[in-house]
């Protein structure tokens, strides 16, 4: 009987501890950083950071986002899309080498990080289209 | 036979719950794709003003939003971005009448929309054509809570009349004509 009680107590203790560990681990959780970065990042052949940020803002608007936050120094744009669900997205535009701008996007769907490459591919193809239209001077 | 029916019902419920959970969890495939109407939406949401003074347009926009009771949440004069929000009543007569009808028929009062948080984002970009002009574009979103305090809807507001009303005000505030792009 005592052994059973001990076993039960241990079981509860393990459950509680397991709960603690997993909760805190989410703070710095995430998949493989290298893999995630690779499909969240695209390099574009331009040195005009300002125009790149502006195009990003326009494309986000095209996709139905509202701009929540911007910071030109950091090259940051954060937006939210509401359409029966919530998507939040942060984009950082930074110089990459002498001739390129790197654009990194990270998004969450209903407050959960999107770690699937496909949505990012869709976003970057919309961004490429936006950059093309800007370069061709088409409103 | 009875047992078979019960088992069938269980399987059905299991499938239904799986379907509901899976649809909850997965991102819609078109979430990051430009929709077929995105160009049309852009035109409806944008107006061209014959000025390159984006700061003037932005501060006039801020004034118009303040007039309508919005609080400015974010502004960036360099990038030409302004985001503002306000809370407002979300009660809808039609919906309340519907709820009363349902309550009379079933004895249960269904929740109706009560309160909404509206967000407007105004972005000023330099027009890409050769005329010296700027393009102002607004997008509107809202979250609606029902009488039980739960979120009943999160959506983008697509209303050409609302866009027109906003640009009419912006046009008056800037003494400039708002032209279709």
């Amino acid at each position: 009987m005592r052994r059973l009680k001990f076993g039960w107590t241990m079981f509860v203790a393990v459950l509680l501890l397991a709960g603690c560990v997993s909760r805190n681990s989410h703070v710095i959780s995430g998949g493989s950083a290298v893999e995630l970065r690779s499909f969240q990042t695209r390099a574009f052949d331009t040195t005009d950071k300002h125009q790149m940020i502006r195009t990003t803002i326009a494309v986000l608007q095209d996709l139905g986002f509202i701009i929540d936050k911007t910071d030109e120094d950091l090259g940051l744009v954060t937006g939210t899309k509401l359409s029966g669900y919530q998507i939040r997205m942060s984009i950082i535009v930074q110089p990459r080498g002498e001739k390129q701008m790197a654009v990194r996007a990270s998004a969450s769907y209903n407050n959960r990080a999107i770690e699937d490459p496909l949505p990012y591919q869709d976003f970057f193809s919309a961004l490429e289209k936006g950059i093309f239209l800007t370069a061709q001077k088409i409103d | 036979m009875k047992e078979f029916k019960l088992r069938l019902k269980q399987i059905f419920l299991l499938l239904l719950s799986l379907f509901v959970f899976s649809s909850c969890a997965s991102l819609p495939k078109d979430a990051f794709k430009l929709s077929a109407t995105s160009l049309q939406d852009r035109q409806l949401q944008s107006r061209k003003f014959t000025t390159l003074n984006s700061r003037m347009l932005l501060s006039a926009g801020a004034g118009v939003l303040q007039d309508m009771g919005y609080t400015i949440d974010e502004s960036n004069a360099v990038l030409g971005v302004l985001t503002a929000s306000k809370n407002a009543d979300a009660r809808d007569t039609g919906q309340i009448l519907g709820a009363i009808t349902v309550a009379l028929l079933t004895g249960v009062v269904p929740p109706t929309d009560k309160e909404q948080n509206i967000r407007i984002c105004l972005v000023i970009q330099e027009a890409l054509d050769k005329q010296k002009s700027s393009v102002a574009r607004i997008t509107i979103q809202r979250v609606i809570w029902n009488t039980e305090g739960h979120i009943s809807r999160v959506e983008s507001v697509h209303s050409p009349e609302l866009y027109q009303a906003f640009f009419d005000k912006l046009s008056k505030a800037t003494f400039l004509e708002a032209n279709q792009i």
Side-chain angles (χ1 to χ4, degrees):
Chain A
M1 190 62 199
R2 247 174 93 182
R3 186 170 283 182
L4 196 74
K5 206 172 173 185
F6 176 72
W8 176 240
T9 314
M10 282 303 284
F11 178 68
V12 172
V14 164
L15 266 188
L16 284 176
L17 279 177
C20 272
V21 169
S22 70
R23 193 183 301 158
N24 279 349
S25 68
H26 285 302
V27 179
I28 48 163
S29 72
S32 153
V34 179
E35 196 194 1
L36 203 63
R37 272 180 189 230
S38 75
F39 60 70
Q40 287 183 341
T41 313
R42 270 307 147 87
F44 292 92
D45 292 328
T46 174
T47 48
D48 192 343
K49 186 178 175 183
H50 183 80
Q51 191 54 53
M52 192 74 215
I53 299 172
R54 281 185 165 250
T55 307
T56 306
I57 291 171
V59 169
L60 281 175
Q61 281 195 305
D62 283 344
L63 291 170
F65 282 79
I66 266 189
I67 311 302
D68 301 317
K69 197 141 191 63
T70 49
D71 184 326
E72 219 202 356
D73 289 340
L74 290 177
L76 170 82
V77 181
T78 301
T80 301
K81 177 174 182 171
L82 300 180
S83 181
Y85 53 80
Q86 185 202 49
I87 293 178
R88 294 203 75 205
M89 193 170 200
S90 281
I91 291 142
I92 292 194
V93 179
Q94 277 178 326
R96 181 176 183 269
E98 301 268 293
K99 291 175 184 161
Q100 283 188 319
M101 282 287 151
V103 178
R104 179 170 183 185
S106 62
S108 67
Y109 170 69
N110 290 342
N111 291 327
R112 296 227 165 215
I114 300 174
E115 293 179 345
D116 176 20
L118 222 66
Y120 295 104
Q121 277 175 23
D122 288 341
F123 170 72
F124 285 120
S125 61
L127 188 58
E128 272 163 18
K129 202 174 166 192
I131 290 164
F132 174 78
L133 293 178
T134 311
Q136 304 294 312
K137 298 201 179 296
I138 301 168
D139 259 336
Chain B
M1 189 61 196
K2 211 172 179 183
E3 202 172 281
F4 175 72
K5 267 191 173 169
L6 196 75
R7 181 57 57 85
L8 207 68
K9 201 175 167 187
Q10 279 176 343
I11 291 173
F12 177 74
L13 280 175
L14 187 76
L15 280 177
L16 187 75
S17 60
L18 272 178
F19 176 74
V20 167
F21 280 114
S22 65
S23 63
C24 261
S26 69
L27 174 76
K29 283 204 175 92
D30 58 352
F32 287 97
K33 285 193 174 121
L34 292 169
S35 71
T37 59
S38 70
L39 188 66
Q40 198 191 346
D41 290 341
R42 184 195 284 204
Q43 281 168 347
L44 287 171
Q45 292 166 348
S46 306
R47 293 292 183 278
K48 196 182 271 184
F49 292 87
T50 44
T51 176
L52 280 177
N53 193 345
S54 65
R55 277 164 199 263
M56 183 271 285
L57 281 175
L58 213 56
S59 62
V64 166
L65 287 166
Q66 281 185 308
D67 290 344
M68 297 189 290
Y70 284 84
T71 309
I72 312 297
D73 299 320
E74 164 70 4
S75 66
N76 188 324
V78 180
L79 293 170
V81 176
L82 194 72
T83 305
S85 63
K86 76 169 172 184
N87 282 346
D89 200 311
R91 280 175 294 185
D92 183 83
T93 323
Q95 196 190 29
I96 292 170
L97 284 176
I100 292 171
T101 315
V102 172
L104 285 174
L105 291 173
T106 63
V108 183
V109 185
T112 52
D113 292 343
K114 190 184 173 200
E115 178 110 2
Q116 58 179 332
N117 179 267
I118 312 165
R119 295 179 73 211
I120 291 192
C121 176
L122 171 68
V123 176
I124 314 283
Q125 302 251 28
E126 199 176 304
L128 293 166
D129 57 16
K130 280 172 190 148
Q131 293 169 6
K132 290 194 160 80
S133 52
S134 304
V135 174
R137 178 174 184 181
I138 56 161
T139 38
I140 310 171
Q141 290 177 354
R142 69 171 160 211
V143 179
I144 301 177
W145 286 268
N146 65 19
T147 40
E148 287 176 354
H150 297 144
I151 290 176
S152 67
R153 256 186 296 172
V154 290
E155 61 187 11
S156 294
V157 182
H158 295 287
S159 164
E161 296 80 30
L162 287 181
Y163 306 145
Q164 185 60 43
F166 175 82
F167 287 119
D168 283 346
K169 287 175 194 280
L170 188 60
S171 174
K172 273 187 193 139
T174 55
F175 300 107
L176 288 170
E177 204 174 320
N179 301 302
Q180 304 271 352
I181 63 163

